[in-house]
Each structure stands twice: as C-alpha cells, then as structure tokens.
Amino acid sequence: MAHHERHLLHRSGWLRAAVLGANDGIISTASLLMGVAAAGANHQALLMTGIAGLVAGALSMAAGEYVSVSSQTDIEQADLAREAEELQTNPDSELRELTAIYTQRGLSPALAAQVAQALSEHDSLAAHARDELGLHDMNQAQPLQAALASAFAFSSGAALPLITAWLAPHAQAQSWFTVSTLPFLALLGIVAADTGGASRWKSVSRVVLWGALAMAATALIGHWFGVTPV
C-alpha cells in the first residue's frame, strides 16, 4: 500500500502573506478607527477614514509584498546563475563541495561521493540549488501570488472593523470595536494555526495580545489629541 504524507510547507509563501495581510487589515483599521473615534470624529468621518485606510492599506501591502518577494527572487536567480557558471567552469570543485555537504549530514565519505556523483549526473544545478543554497520548488518566492494574497487578505480583514463602524451606534463605537475586533483576531489565529499545522493557543494569543495593545495605544492617543468636530 502506498504511503502518503501530508506536508504543509508548500503553503508557507501565500500563508505568510495572507495571515500578515489579514492581521494587519484588522488591527490597523480597527486601531485607526478607534483613535479617530476617541478623538471625537463624527460618523461620516469615521466611515471615510475606514474606507481610506482599507484602500491605502491594501495597495501598500500588495506593493510591499511584491517588491520584497521580487527582491528575494532576484537574489535567488542571481545565486542560481552564479552556481550554473561555477558548474560550467569548475565542475570537479563543485562535485567535491556537494560531497562535503552530504558527508557533514552523516553519510560516509564513500557513500557521499556516490550520491553526489549520481545527483550531479541527473541534474547538477538542481542538486546544488537544493542542498547547497536551500532552494526548493515548494517554497520558491512568487511575487505576484504574495502581492495578491496580501492585498485580498488585508481588504478582507479591514472590512470587518469597517462594517462594525457602519453598524455601531456612534456613541458606542469604541466599545463595539473592542468587542468585535478581538474575536475576529482570535478567529484569524485559529484559521492560521489550522492551515499551517501550528498550535491554536500560541497563534491566538499572539494576534489578540498585539491587537489589543495597538487599539489601546491609538485610543489613548485619540483621547490625548482629541478635537471637537466643526
């Protein structure tokens, strides 16, 4: 009977961008709205602030992810090109280098040399990319995927406190933000933990704690610098 294992590493690229985007969308938008509400803004100003925060944040997250992951891709491609050149100009040295890597991982020198030779004959660049540079197809950087996942996740997260701002009685907006946002963050932590195979408790406690601190800080700033709307 065939043995199948379910690994989750292939999700690391988009999962990181999605969790970061949703977490930032909820926390930054809720905190922004909390601070503006604490400063005494009216209901219309509160909604316009939330919409502006959603649009600006989603575009900023997408641009940041695309630029960041593109830079990572450029580095990976440069390393691969350098490795391909070395394999062309000095294949014996590269073979010894690969052998040394396998020896350090626990193979006997003779077996390491045999494995290095066999893998080099099959696809030397792939062997060096995987075992020397640590590059794998499953965690290869994908800029567009990361940008889209981040923008969509941020918008989804930011929509939650924005809907709360729309539905909440204006006088009770801050309380509504607190009561609604923390469960949203807890749910995000559970989803992230289940998708990535991590501990629910650790994931939930991280996002809830930092979310609560962010909202408390912006609410305090709003009270300090509060203005009476004209």
Side-chain angles (χ1 to χ4, degrees), residues 80-226:
L80 285 174
R82 189 178 299 111
E83 197 65 33
E85 182 179 355
E86 290 291 330
L87 287 169
Q88 288 290 330
T89 59
N90 202 353
D92 292 338
S93 177
E94 291 297 307
L95 181 61
R96 289 193 296 271
E97 187 176 29
L98 199 60
T99 301
I101 291 173
Y102 297 143
T103 302
Q104 292 173 0
R105 291 182 180 179
L107 298 182
S108 66
L111 181 56
Q114 184 180 359
V115 171
Q117 182 66 42
L119 291 177
S120 296
E121 291 176 356
H122 175 68
D123 190 337
S124 58
L125 182 58
H128 281 271
R130 180 182 62 251
D131 297 319
E132 181 182 350
L133 302 179
L135 300 179
H136 301 267
D137 290 339
M138 68 173 58
N139 60 4
Q140 188 175 8
Q142 300 184 39
L144 186 59
Q145 181 191 64
L148 292 176
S150 183
F152 178 77
F154 183 97
S155 300
S156 300
L160 300 177
L162 185 57
I163 292 172
T164 301
W166 178 45
L167 297 176
H170 185 63
Q172 302 172 11
Q174 294 180 65
S175 300
W176 278 52
F177 289 139
T178 302
V179 171
S180 63
T181 299
L182 295 183
F184 286 153
L185 289 173
L187 179 60
L188 173 63
I190 292 173
V191 171
D194 290 348
T195 306
S199 166
R200 282 186 172 185
W201 168 247
K202 289 182 179 180
S203 181
V204 170
S205 61
R206 281 195 297 259
V207 295
V208 170
L209 173 63
W210 287 105
L213 289 175
M215 288 191 296
T218 53
L220 185 61
I221 293 172
H223 281 295
W224 279 348
F225 298 98

